Amino acid sequence: MIKTRMQLDKNVAERAGAAEVRRQYRNSYDCVRQILREEGVRGMYKGMSASYLGVAESTLQWVLYEQFKAYLARREERIERSGRGKTTWDRSVEWTGNFGAAGVAKFVAAVLAYPHEVARTRLRQAPVANGELKYTGLVQCFKLVWKEEGLMGLYGGLTPHLLRTVPSAAIMFAMYEGILRLCNAPA
């Protein structure tokens, strides 16, 4: 298996015009060992400060979802109080409302909090050729990305991130609501 993987790496490298590609780590144990040897214990925790900012994204997502859900519940109450029959649109909103609310909540939260993903990724980068770190801390990382790349640097990769996370969040919240209904738990 290892020989095959190395051969594939070599073949990909040859097609890309590189002479030889060597993997930085042989496996997870080797990765931990090299990081501890070269960067110390602190190296194992690079990028954690940016990861903690991810909590803000999740919190915002849940708050927005609950607000959208409350709006949909008020909408249903208004329709029932009015005594009018439900239109096709009303039935569509009833079935897809929470799914859409979850998707929109994730979209808004992700767009607002996305720069933390960029910082987290950058802080985890390996040292440059001379062994120095380009990004040394969260604030320094944000400042340097802003200075070198501007606002677009803080949002690089947002589109694929949204294409992955928004549908995932919508499905997760739909499952959450479905399980609550199955268990007759209050929403």
Side-chain angles (χ1 to χ4, degrees), residues 121-173:
T121 302
R122 303 279 178 103
L123 286 167
R124 290 181 179 163
Q125 287 180 349
V128 291
N130 63 358
E132 294 291 317
L133 295 172
K134 181 172 183 177
Y135 305 103
T136 57
L138 184 62
V139 174
Q140 182 267 354
C141 180
F142 280 126
K143 285 180 180 178
L144 190 56
V145 171
W146 180 265
K147 180 181 172 186
E148 291 180 348
E149 304 171 48
L151 183 64
M152 295 310 294
L154 292 172
Y155 282 92
L158 177 63
T159 301
H161 178 73
L162 291 174
L163 289 173
R164 179 178 55 85
T165 61
V166 170
S168 174
I171 292 167
M172 182 201 65
F173 278 99

Coordinates of all heavy atoms in Angstrom, one line a residue, residues 121-173:
T121 N -6.4 28.1 9.1 CA -5.6 27.4 8.1 C -4.2 27.9 8.0 O -3.2 27.2 8.0 CB -6.3 27.4 6.7 OG1 -7.6 26.9 6.9 CG2 -5.5 26.7 5.7
R122 N -4.1 29.2 8.0 CA -2.8 29.9 7.8 C -1.9 29.6 9.1 O -0.7 29.4 8.9 CB -2.9 31.4 7.6 CG -3.7 31.8 6.4 CD -3.0 31.7 5.1 NE -3.8 32.1 4.0 CZ -3.8 33.2 3.4 NH1 -2.9 34.2 3.8 NH2 -4.5 33.5 2.3
L123 N -2.5 29.6 10.2 CA -1.7 29.4 11.5 C -1.2 28.0 11.6 O -0.2 27.7 12.2 CB -2.5 29.7 12.7 CG -2.7 31.2 13.0 CD1 -3.8 31.4 14.0 CD2 -1.5 31.9 13.4
R124 N -1.8 27.1 10.8 CA -1.4 25.7 10.9 C -0.3 25.4 9.8 O 0.1 24.2 9.7 CB -2.6 24.8 10.7 CG -3.5 24.8 11.9 CD -4.6 23.9 11.8 NE -5.4 23.9 12.9 CZ -6.7 23.5 13.0 NH1 -7.3 23.0 11.9 NH2 -7.4 23.6 14.1
Q125 N 0.0 26.3 9.0 CA 1.0 26.1 7.9 C 2.4 25.8 8.5 O 2.7 26.3 9.6 CB 1.2 27.3 7.0 CG 0.0 27.5 6.1 CD 0.2 28.8 5.2 OE1 1.1 29.6 5.4 NE2 -0.7 28.9 4.2
A126 N 3.1 24.9 7.8 CA 4.4 24.6 8.2 C 5.4 25.8 8.1 O 5.1 26.7 7.3 CB 5.0 23.4 7.4
P127 N 6.5 25.8 8.9 CA 7.4 26.9 8.8 C 8.0 27.0 7.4 O 8.0 26.0 6.6 CB 8.5 26.5 9.7 CG 7.9 25.5 10.7 CD 6.8 24.8 9.9
V128 N 8.3 28.2 7.0 CA 8.9 28.4 5.6 C 10.3 27.9 5.6 O 10.8 27.3 6.6 CB 9.0 30.0 5.3 CG1 7.5 30.4 5.0 CG2 9.6 30.8 6.3
A129 N 11.0 28.0 4.5 CA 12.3 27.3 4.3 C 13.4 27.6 5.4 O 14.1 26.7 5.8 CB 12.9 27.7 2.9
N130 N 13.4 28.8 5.9 CA 14.5 29.1 6.9 C 14.0 28.7 8.3 O 14.7 29.0 9.3 CB 14.8 30.6 6.9 CG 13.6 31.5 7.2 OD1 12.5 31.0 7.4 ND2 13.9 32.8 7.2
G131 N 12.9 28.0 8.5 CA 12.4 27.6 9.7 C 11.6 28.6 10.5 O 11.1 28.3 11.6
E132 N 11.4 29.8 10.0 CA 10.6 30.8 10.6 C 9.2 30.7 10.2 O 8.8 30.2 9.2 CB 11.1 32.2 10.1 CG 12.5 32.6 10.6 CD 12.6 32.8 12.1 OE1 11.7 33.5 12.6 OE2 13.6 32.3 12.6
L133 N 8.3 31.0 11.2 CA 6.9 31.0 10.9 C 6.4 32.3 10.3 O 6.8 33.4 10.7 CB 6.1 30.8 12.2 CG 6.3 29.5 13.0 CD1 5.7 29.5 14.3 CD2 5.8 28.3 12.1
K134 N 5.6 32.2 9.2 CA 5.1 33.4 8.6 C 4.0 34.0 9.5 O 3.9 35.2 9.6 CB 4.6 33.1 7.2 CG 4.0 34.3 6.5 CD 3.7 34.0 5.1 CE 3.2 35.3 4.4 NZ 2.9 35.1 3.0
Y135 N 3.2 33.2 10.1 CA 2.1 33.6 10.9 C 2.4 33.2 12.3 O 2.5 32.0 12.6 CB 0.8 33.1 10.4 CG 0.5 33.4 9.0 CD1 0.7 32.4 8.0 CD2 0.1 34.7 8.6 CE1 0.4 32.7 6.7 CE2 -0.2 35.0 7.3 CZ 0.0 34.0 6.3 OH -0.2 34.3 5.0
T136 N 2.5 34.2 13.2 CA 2.9 33.8 14.6 C 1.8 33.9 15.6 O 1.9 33.4 16.7 CB 4.0 34.8 15.1 OG1 3.5 36.1 15.0 CG2 5.3 34.6 14.2
G137 N 0.7 34.5 15.3 CA -0.5 34.6 16.2 C -1.7 35.1 15.5 O -1.6 35.5 14.3
L138 N -2.8 35.0 16.1 CA -4.1 35.3 15.5 C -4.2 36.7 15.0 O -4.5 36.9 13.8 CB -5.2 35.0 16.5 CG -6.6 35.2 16.0 CD1 -6.9 34.2 14.8 CD2 -7.6 35.0 17.1
V139 N -3.9 37.7 15.8 CA -4.0 39.1 15.4 C -2.9 39.4 14.3 O -3.3 40.0 13.3 CB -3.8 40.0 16.6 CG1 -3.7 41.5 16.2 CG2 -4.9 39.8 17.6
Q140 N -1.7 38.9 14.5 CA -0.7 39.1 13.5 C -1.1 38.5 12.1 O -0.9 39.0 11.1 CB 0.7 38.5 13.9 CG 1.8 38.7 13.0 CD 2.1 37.5 12.0 OE1 1.4 36.5 12.1 NE2 3.0 37.7 11.1
C141 N -1.7 37.3 12.2 CA -2.2 36.6 11.0 C -3.2 37.5 10.2 O -3.1 37.7 9.0 CB -2.8 35.3 11.3 SG -3.3 34.3 9.9
F142 N -4.2 38.0 11.0 CA -5.3 38.8 10.4 C -4.6 40.0 9.7 O -5.0 40.4 8.6 CB -6.3 39.2 11.4 CG -7.4 38.2 11.6 CD1 -7.6 37.8 12.9 CD2 -8.1 37.6 10.6 CE1 -8.6 36.8 13.2 CE2 -9.1 36.7 10.9 CZ -9.3 36.3 12.2
K143 N -3.7 40.7 10.5 CA -3.1 41.9 10.0 C -2.3 41.6 8.7 O -2.4 42.4 7.7 CB -2.2 42.5 11.0 CG -3.0 43.2 12.1 CD -2.0 43.8 13.1 CE -2.7 44.5 14.3 NZ -1.7 45.0 15.3
L144 N -1.5 40.6 8.7 CA -0.7 40.2 7.6 C -1.5 39.9 6.3 O -1.2 40.3 5.2 CB 0.3 39.1 7.9 CG 1.4 38.9 6.9 CD1 2.3 40.1 6.6 CD2 2.3 37.7 7.4
V145 N -2.5 39.1 6.5 CA -3.4 38.7 5.4 C -4.0 39.9 4.8 O -4.1 40.1 3.6 CB -4.4 37.6 5.8 CG1 -5.4 37.4 4.7 CG2 -3.7 36.3 6.1
W146 N -4.5 40.8 5.7 CA -5.2 42.1 5.3 C -4.2 42.9 4.5 O -4.5 43.5 3.4 CB -5.7 42.8 6.5 CG -6.4 44.1 6.1 CD1 -5.8 45.4 6.1 CD2 -7.7 44.3 5.6 NE1 -6.7 46.3 5.6 CE2 -7.9 45.7 5.4 CE3 -8.8 43.4 5.4 CZ2 -9.1 46.2 4.9 CZ3 -10.0 43.9 5.0 CH2 -10.1 45.3 4.7
K147 N -2.9 43.0 5.0 CA -1.9 43.9 4.4 C -1.5 43.3 3.0 O -1.4 44.1 2.0 CB -0.7 44.0 5.3 CG 0.4 44.8 4.7 CD 1.6 44.8 5.7 CE 2.8 45.5 5.1 NZ 4.0 45.3 6.0
E148 N -1.3 42.0 2.9 CA -0.8 41.4 1.7 C -1.9 41.1 0.7 O -1.6 41.2 -0.5 CB 0.0 40.1 2.0 CG 1.3 40.3 2.8 CD 1.9 39.0 3.1 OE1 1.3 37.9 2.9 OE2 3.1 39.0 3.5
E149 N -3.1 40.8 1.1 CA -4.1 40.3 0.2 C -5.4 41.1 0.3 O -6.3 40.9 -0.6 CB -4.4 38.8 0.5 CG -3.1 38.0 0.4 CD -3.4 36.5 0.8 OE1 -4.4 36.0 0.4 OE2 -2.6 36.0 1.6
G150 N -5.6 41.9 1.3 CA -6.8 42.7 1.4 C -8.0 41.8 1.8 O -7.8 40.7 2.3
L151 N -9.2 42.4 1.7 CA -10.4 41.8 2.1 C -10.6 40.4 1.4 O -11.0 39.4 2.0 CB -11.6 42.7 1.8 CG -13.0 42.1 2.3 CD1 -13.0 42.0 3.8 CD2 -14.1 43.1 1.8
M152 N -10.2 40.4 0.1 CA -10.4 39.1 -0.6 C -9.5 38.0 0.0 O -9.9 36.8 -0.1 CB -10.0 39.3 -2.1 CG -11.0 40.3 -2.8 SD -12.7 39.9 -2.6 CE -12.9 38.3 -3.4
G153 N -8.4 38.3 0.6 CA -7.6 37.3 1.2 C -8.3 36.7 2.4 O -8.1 35.5 2.7
L154 N -9.1 37.5 3.1 CA -9.8 36.9 4.3 C -11.0 36.1 3.9 O -11.6 35.4 4.7 CB -10.2 38.1 5.2 CG -9.1 38.9 5.9 CD1 -9.7 40.1 6.6 CD2 -8.4 38.0 6.9
Y155 N -11.4 36.2 2.6 CA -12.5 35.4 2.1 C -12.2 34.4 1.0 O -13.0 33.9 0.4 CB -13.6 36.4 1.7 CG -14.4 36.9 2.8 CD1 -14.0 38.1 3.4 CD2 -15.5 36.2 3.4 CE1 -14.7 38.6 4.5 CE2 -16.1 36.7 4.5 CZ -15.7 37.9 5.1 OH -16.4 38.4 6.2
G156 N -10.9 34.1 0.9 CA -10.4 33.2 -0.1 C -10.9 31.8 0.2 O -10.7 31.3 1.4
G157 N -11.6 31.1 -0.7 CA -12.1 29.8 -0.5 C -13.5 29.7 0.1 O -14.0 28.7 0.5
L158 N -14.1 30.9 0.2 CA -15.5 31.0 0.8 C -16.5 30.2 0.0 O -17.3 29.4 0.6 CB -15.9 32.4 0.9 CG -17.4 32.6 1.4 CD1 -17.5 32.1 2.9 CD2 -17.8 34.1 1.4
T159 N -16.4 30.2 -1.3 CA -17.5 29.6 -2.2 C -17.5 28.1 -1.9 O -18.5 27.5 -1.6 CB -17.3 29.9 -3.7 OG1 -17.4 31.3 -3.8 CG2 -18.3 29.2 -4.5
P160 N -16.3 27.4 -2.0 CA -16.4 25.9 -1.7 C -16.8 25.6 -0.3 O -17.5 24.6 0.0 CB -15.0 25.4 -2.0 CG -14.2 26.6 -2.4 CD -15.0 27.8 -2.5
H161 N -16.4 26.5 0.6 CA -16.8 26.3 2.0 C -18.3 26.4 2.2 O -18.9 25.5 2.8 CB -16.2 27.4 2.9 CG -16.5 27.4 4.3 ND1 -16.1 26.4 5.2 CD2 -17.3 28.2 5.1 CE1 -16.6 26.6 6.4 NE2 -17.3 27.7 6.3
L162 N -19.0 27.4 1.5 CA -20.4 27.5 1.5 C -21.1 26.3 0.9 O -22.1 25.8 1.3 CB -20.9 28.8 0.9 CG -20.5 30.1 1.6 CD1 -20.9 31.3 0.8 CD2 -21.1 30.1 3.0
L163 N -20.5 25.9 -0.3 CA -21.1 24.7 -1.0 C -21.1 23.5 -0.2 O -21.9 22.6 -0.4 CB -20.4 24.5 -2.3 CG -20.7 25.6 -3.4 CD1 -19.8 25.4 -4.6 CD2 -22.1 25.6 -3.8
R164 N -20.2 23.4 0.8 CA -20.0 22.2 1.6 C -20.9 22.4 2.9 O -21.6 21.4 3.3 CB -18.6 22.0 2.0 CG -18.3 20.8 2.9 CD -16.8 20.6 3.2 NE -16.2 21.8 3.7 CZ -16.2 22.2 5.0 NH1 -16.8 21.4 5.9 NH2 -15.6 23.2 5.4
T165 N -20.8 23.5 3.5 CA -21.4 23.7 4.9 C -22.9 24.0 4.9 O -23.6 23.6 5.8 CB -20.7 24.7 5.7 OG1 -20.7 26.0 5.1 CG2 -19.2 24.3 5.9
V166 N -23.4 24.8 3.9 CA -24.8 25.2 3.9 C -25.7 24.0 3.7 O -26.6 23.8 4.5 CB -25.0 26.3 2.9 CG1 -26.5 26.6 2.7 CG2 -24.3 27.6 3.3
P167 N -25.5 23.2 2.7 CA -26.4 22.0 2.6 C -26.2 21.0 3.8 O -27.2 20.5 4.3 CB -25.9 21.3 1.3 CG -25.2 22.3 0.5 CD -24.6 23.3 1.6
S168 N -25.0 20.9 4.3 CA -24.8 20.1 5.5 C -25.6 20.6 6.7 O -26.3 19.8 7.4 CB -23.3 20.0 5.8 OG -23.1 19.3 7.0
A169 N -25.6 21.9 6.9 CA -26.3 22.5 8.0 C -27.8 22.3 7.8 O -28.5 22.0 8.8 CB -26.0 23.9 8.2
A170 N -28.3 22.5 6.6 CA -29.7 22.4 6.4 C -30.2 20.9 6.6 O -31.2 20.7 7.3 CB -30.0 22.8 4.9
I171 N -29.4 20.0 6.2 CA -29.7 18.6 6.4 C -29.7 18.3 7.9 O -30.6 17.6 8.5 CB -28.8 17.6 5.6 CG1 -29.1 17.8 4.1 CG2 -29.0 16.2 6.1 CD1 -28.0 17.2 3.2
M172 N -28.6 18.7 8.6 CA -28.5 18.5 10.0 C -29.7 19.0 10.8 O -30.3 18.3 11.7 CB -27.2 19.1 10.6 CG -27.0 18.7 12.1 SD -25.9 19.8 13.0 CE -26.7 21.4 12.9
F173 N -30.1 20.3 10.5 CA -31.2 20.9 11.3 C -32.5 20.2 10.9 O -33.4 20.0 11.8 CB -31.3 22.4 11.0 CG -30.4 23.2 11.9 CD1 -29.2 23.6 11.4 CD2 -30.7 23.5 13.2 CE1 -28.3 24.3 12.2 CE2 -29.9 24.2 14.0 CZ -28.7 24.6 13.5

